Amino acid sequence: KNQVEQSPQSLIILEGKNCTLQCNYTVSPFSNLRWYKQDTGRGPVSLTIMTFSENTKSNGRYTATLDADTKQSSLHITASQLSDSASYICVVSDKGFGNEKLTFGTGTRLTIIP
Amino acid sequence: NAGVTQTPKFRVLKTGQSMTLLCAQDMNHEYMYWYRQDPGMGLRLIHYSVGEGTTAKGEVPDGYNVSRLKKQNFLLGLESAAPSQTSVYFCASSYGFRGGGETQYFGPGTRLLVL
């Protein structure tokens, strides 16, 4: 069964500090990995999408890395801001026969305190 | 450009009642999806559509029906609501091949409480 596990479940950091969120997956065959940001009471918003051949991708202060060999990804947030407080969801797409399927992680809830 | 919109934002139903959730997108996307999000679980796909007039089952389709009569609209119906359908429902849309690296754009969600 395809699974996506994220750690930590929750994280509190001071404004201005950096942090790294982790995502481990057991999805096969692998197609791509996405990171979404979900503000409280809102829908998820895409941050990055990485395919098998990409091992890093940036979107402003967000940098995602992918190690397809160890099936791990991380999302690094630099110089955190209060607006970064949200849940961050890792999503992995498989590329099996027929339609692809997205497997969603349960997210890491990040709280930035002033 | 409103993106993906959902109606209603919040609804309370009694067990056995029916309702329809409406999703609309103005990005001319071919693909549309309905997900549910429950505490402690990742988003789960209920139904999806790869174009006007088409629908297909996702991971958790039981108790739901969908229709895509117009390209811009995707309706999710609950014929006889059950407390287990209490959840937050998200609609999403994308340009092309499902899951093929195409970004999905999500609506703001509909909170449904079934008593």
Side-chain angles (χ1 to χ4, degrees), chain B residues 55-102:
Chain B
T55 62
K57 294 180 180 180
E59 183 184 354
V60 288
D62 294 341
Y64 306 95
N65 56 75
V66 288
S67 64
R68 183 110 181 260
L69 299 180
K70 293 183 179 180
K71 185 177 184 178
Q72 63 268 35
N73 295 338
F74 196 28
L75 278 63
L76 178 70
L78 286 74
E79 290 187 348
S80 179
S84 61
Q85 294 178 305
T86 293
S87 188
V88 181
Y89 292 87
F90 288 100
C91 176
S93 68
S94 66
Y95 278 109
F97 186 74
R98 176 171 170 267
E102 293 287 345

Side-chain angles (χ1 to χ4, degrees), chain A residues 35-108:
Chain A
W35 282 94
Y36 281 88
K37 178 187 180 188
Q38 185 176 19
D39 292 317
T40 301
R42 310 288 289 272
V45 174
S46 179
L47 294 175
T48 64
I49 298 177
M50 290 182 291
T51 60
F52 183 88
S53 60
E54 298 174 295
N55 54 23
T56 187
K57 203 156 200 178
S58 292
N59 178 355
R61 294 180 295 102
Y62 300 100
T63 299
T65 64
L66 172 64
D67 186 336
D69 291 332
T70 62
K71 299 187 177 181
Q72 296 180 325
S73 176
S74 65
L75 180 69
H76 186 75
I77 304 175
T78 304
S80 61
Q81 301 176 358
L82 296 178
S83 60
D84 292 331
S85 293
S87 286
Y88 291 84
I89 302 172
C90 176
V91 186
V92 181
S93 171
D94 68 28
K95 191 173 176 63
F97 182 77
N99 278 329
E100 289 186 338
K101 180 180 179 295
L102 299 183
T103 301
F104 288 77
T106 56
T108 292

